[in-house]
């Protein structure tokens, strides 16, 4: 990995602008940061969370509590004056008890008008080169939950798979305005990762309402006014009825 070619233009631009503006990526842990720098990280994280009508999702995206661990590597984009422009954290990936790679967890950029705009490109690009030089086997940009990206090698779907897709699409559509999973997926694409699907295995279609309710609760933990399990059950029943009316086979 050398970030050569047109595909990596945004990453190279981030490196170049960082050099011109005196911004660098500094490795640390959250606990080892000076108190003033930790305060800035907390402020950036709180501003990010307060900008959303839904709470932070510990289910798929980490926060300060996950970052505050000596085993977690913390990366900070900081300028000559000590101002923090962005922060990222990396969780260790283990194979047979040894760390063989790192997984991206926290991604936060300052919303200050004068903050370095390409802070995340700088941090992720720097991390990629550092992990490569250090000899690690894997660098993961984590998942893009509910991004619902089309794949050329997806198998032909049956009625149940179409039902699951419909449920996930509705859930994704409800959450996308708040968390921007699709835009997050496109952002990660600029680093040229290898995409691998995430699968959910279940024993029987009758479990889908409970699974859907659990997933929805994990993502939308404060929507207590809505009985999401009932909603998802109705979606599944309506899709089955539509399939039956259309004469689809099983």
């Amino acid at each position: 990995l050398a970030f050569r070619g047109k595909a990596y233009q945004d990453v190279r631009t981030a490196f170049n602008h960082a050099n011109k503006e005196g911004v660098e990526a500094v490795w640390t842990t959250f606990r080892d940061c000076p108190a003033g720098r930790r305060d800035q990280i907390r402020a950036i994280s709180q501003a990010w969370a307060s900008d959303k009508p839904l709470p932070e999702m510990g289910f798929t995206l980490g926060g300060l509590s996950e970052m505050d661990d000596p085993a977690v590597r913390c990366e900070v984009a900081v300028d000559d004056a000590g101002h923090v422009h962005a922060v990222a954290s990396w969780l260790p990936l283990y194979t047979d008890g040894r760390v063989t790679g790192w997984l991206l967890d926290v991604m936060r950029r300052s919303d200050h008008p004068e903050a370095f705009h390409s802070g995340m490109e700088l941090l992720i690009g720097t991390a990629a080169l550092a992990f490569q030089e250090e000899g690690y086997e894997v660098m993961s940009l984590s998942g893009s939950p509910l991004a619902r990206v089309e794949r050329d090698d997806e198998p032909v779907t049956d009625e149940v798979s179409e039902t699951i897709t419909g449920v996930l699409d509705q859930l994704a559509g409800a959450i996308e305005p708040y968390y921007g999973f699709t835009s997050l997926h496109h952002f990660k694409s600029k680093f040229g990762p290898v995409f691998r699907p995430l699968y959910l295995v279940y024993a029987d279609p009758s479990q889908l309402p409970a699974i859907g309710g659990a997933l929805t609760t994990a993502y939308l933990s404060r929507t207590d006014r809505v009985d999401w399990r009932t909603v998802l059950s109705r979606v599944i029943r309506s899709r089955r009825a539509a399939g039956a009316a259309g004469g689809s086979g099983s």
Side-chain angles (χ1 to χ4, degrees):
L1 178 64
F3 293 127
R4 297 192 182 99
K6 184 177 181 181
Y8 296 119
Q9 180 61 48
D10 288 348
V11 182
R12 293 198 305 275
T13 299
F15 287 165
N16 293 334
H17 286 178
N19 289 332
K20 293 178 181 178
E21 299 181 29
V23 177
E24 64 174 337
V26 177
W27 286 102
T28 182
T29 65
F30 185 72
R31 297 182 183 183
D32 289 337
C33 285
R37 187 167 293 179
R38 285 200 303 271
D39 290 342
Q40 292 186 67
I41 294 174
R42 290 192 186 96
I44 291 173
S45 184
Q46 291 170 0
W48 181 91
S50 64
D51 189 45
K52 294 174 171 51
L54 299 176
E56 288 187 295
M57 297 187 308
F59 179 61
T60 56
L61 299 174
L64 290 180
S65 59
E66 288 79 14
M67 187 190 301
D68 188 13
D69 186 314
V72 175
R73 296 178 69 166
C74 184
E75 199 180 7
V76 182
V78 60
D79 62 23
D80 296 336
H83 297 138
V84 175
H85 295 259
V87 60
S89 69
W90 298 88
L91 309 181
L93 296 174
Y94 293 91
T95 302
D96 297 328
R98 65 186 182 91
V99 178
T100 56
W102 297 89
L103 179 142
L104 178 62
D105 191 31
V106 174
M107 298 171 59
R108 300 286 189 272
R109 188 179 72 85
S110 172
D111 60 358
H112 192 279
E114 298 182 1
F116 182 59
H117 181 71
S118 301
M120 293 315 307
E121 287 88 343
L122 172 66
L123 294 179
I124 296 175
T126 299
L129 297 178
F131 295 150
Q132 177 175 253
E133 183 177 353
E134 293 169 16
Y136 289 105
E137 300 171 11
V138 179
M139 170 185 169
S140 172
L141 298 183
S142 193
S144 298
L146 301 180
R148 311 301 301 142
V149 178
E150 296 294 333
R151 290 173 49 85
D152 295 334
D153 58 346
E154 281 190 348
V156 177
T157 58
D158 55 19
E159 181 181 350
V160 174
S161 297
E162 290 178 355
T163 299
I164 298 172
T165 299
V167 171
L168 290 177
D169 284 343
Q170 292 204 15
L171 179 58
I175 300 178
E176 179 65 25
Y178 306 111
Y179 287 113
F181 290 132
T182 300
S183 60
L184 176 63
H185 173 82
H186 291 315
F187 171 79
K188 293 177 179 180
S189 298
K190 67 177 61 181
F191 300 96
V194 176
F195 291 106
R196 295 192 175 99
L198 300 176
Y199 294 98
L200 175 65
V201 181
Y202 57 93
D204 186 88
S206 64
Q207 297 176 347
L208 289 177
I211 292 172
L215 285 172
T216 306
T217 301
Y219 285 105
L220 300 177
S221 58
R222 291 200 307 206
T223 54
D224 53 348
R225 296 182 181 180
V226 181
D227 185 349
W228 281 99
R229 296 194 179 197
T230 300
V231 172
L232 291 168
S233 297
R234 291 174 179 173
V235 170
I236 293 173
R237 288 198 300 269
S238 66
R239 290 184 66 86
R240 286 177 175 171
S248 61
S250 61

